[in-house]
Amino acid sequence: MISLRRVLAAVAATGAVAAATAAPAGATVTTFDFHRISNTNSVLTIYRQELLDGRILNQASYRAGSGLNRNECDSAAYDNVGGWLPAGYYNLWGHFHHYAGSLIQGRVWRLQDKRCNGGTGTLRTDLFIHSEETYTNQQACQSPYVERFCWDNDGDYYSLGCIKVSRNSSNPPADLGRLNTNWDDWSGLHGYFYLSQRLYVY
């Protein structure tokens, strides 16, 4: 529970600044916690918390993957082989239902760029929480088959550094759908925004 206490402390500090010490009673904040265990079997947890005291009102955890190895300073920008997400706090830069990037599409959360090794190492960029689906939230598993938009086995938990959750349509609702519903119900924010320290990775 060490990481959770850190998240609560960050939320309390962030809430105090954002609310200018005058947050309305019942105001909440939605945060993430990513526990790195292995590249294909780690845990992403989403929380809804009371803004003033950090009390957890709701939470849900999902299997998640990150990276192709455990070197958080290994950037995919050079060879398309990236290590898992660097440890530390992350700001959220947006949430989209129909993101239309060339490599990542669909329902995504955009994370800040971050230097590895406690802020002294390689700058990791283009970081997201996402799965493998098209910008219309569909699968490209038939013809034409597009691997990056088709979740078909546990190997899809590997990434170039992002956090990935399942989009296995054979077991609906998939984890991405549940995670997206959590966010929509608990936060409701969409598009580009800036939220301080909303993900903690350890």
Side-chain angles (χ1 to χ4, degrees), residues 62-198:
Y62 302 98
R63 178 182 174 183
S66 182
L68 292 168
N69 58 60
R70 298 188 182 192
N71 178 7
E72 66 174 43
C73 290
D74 186 2
S75 173
Y78 305 104
D79 57 6
N80 286 324
V81 177
W84 61 11
L85 201 67
Y89 288 108
Y90 287 76
N91 304 324
L92 285 184
W93 286 355
H95 171 59
F96 307 90
H97 279 179
H98 301 289
Y99 189 78
S102 59
L103 298 178
I104 296 171
Q105 297 187 358
R107 292 163 286 187
V108 307
W109 291 259
R110 180 71 164 90
L111 307 177
Q112 70 169 91
D113 299 339
K114 192 173 188 67
R115 291 193 180 277
C116 65
N117 195 28
T120 64
T122 303
L123 180 65
R124 305 291 302 276
T125 62
D126 298 320
L127 303 174
F128 295 82
I129 299 172
H130 71 101
S131 187
E132 293 190 354
E133 65 176 13
T134 67
Y135 75 97
T136 59
N137 308 145
Q138 303 299 312
Q139 294 281 271
C141 298
Q142 306 302 320
S143 180
Y145 174 85
V146 183
E147 166 54 34
R148 65 183 177 277
F149 303 140
C150 173
W151 189 283
D152 46 16
N153 57 60
D154 279 2
D156 289 325
Y157 281 105
Y158 285 111
S159 76
L160 299 182
C162 297
I163 297 173
K164 288 177 72 178
V165 295
S166 171
R167 179 54 179 81
N168 187 345
S169 57
S170 67
N171 184 28
D175 288 347
L176 177 65
R178 289 192 287 259
L179 181 65
N180 191 74
T181 297
N182 294 148
W183 177 267
D184 286 350
D185 290 347
W186 301 348
S187 172
L189 290 175
H190 294 88
Y192 291 99
F193 53 71
Y194 177 92
L195 296 176
S196 178
Q197 296 188 336
R198 293 301 180 93

Side-chain angles (χ1 to χ4, degrees), residues 56-67:
I56 296 173
L57 304 176
N58 306 91
Q59 74 179 71
S61 295
Y62 302 98
R63 178 182 174 183
S66 182

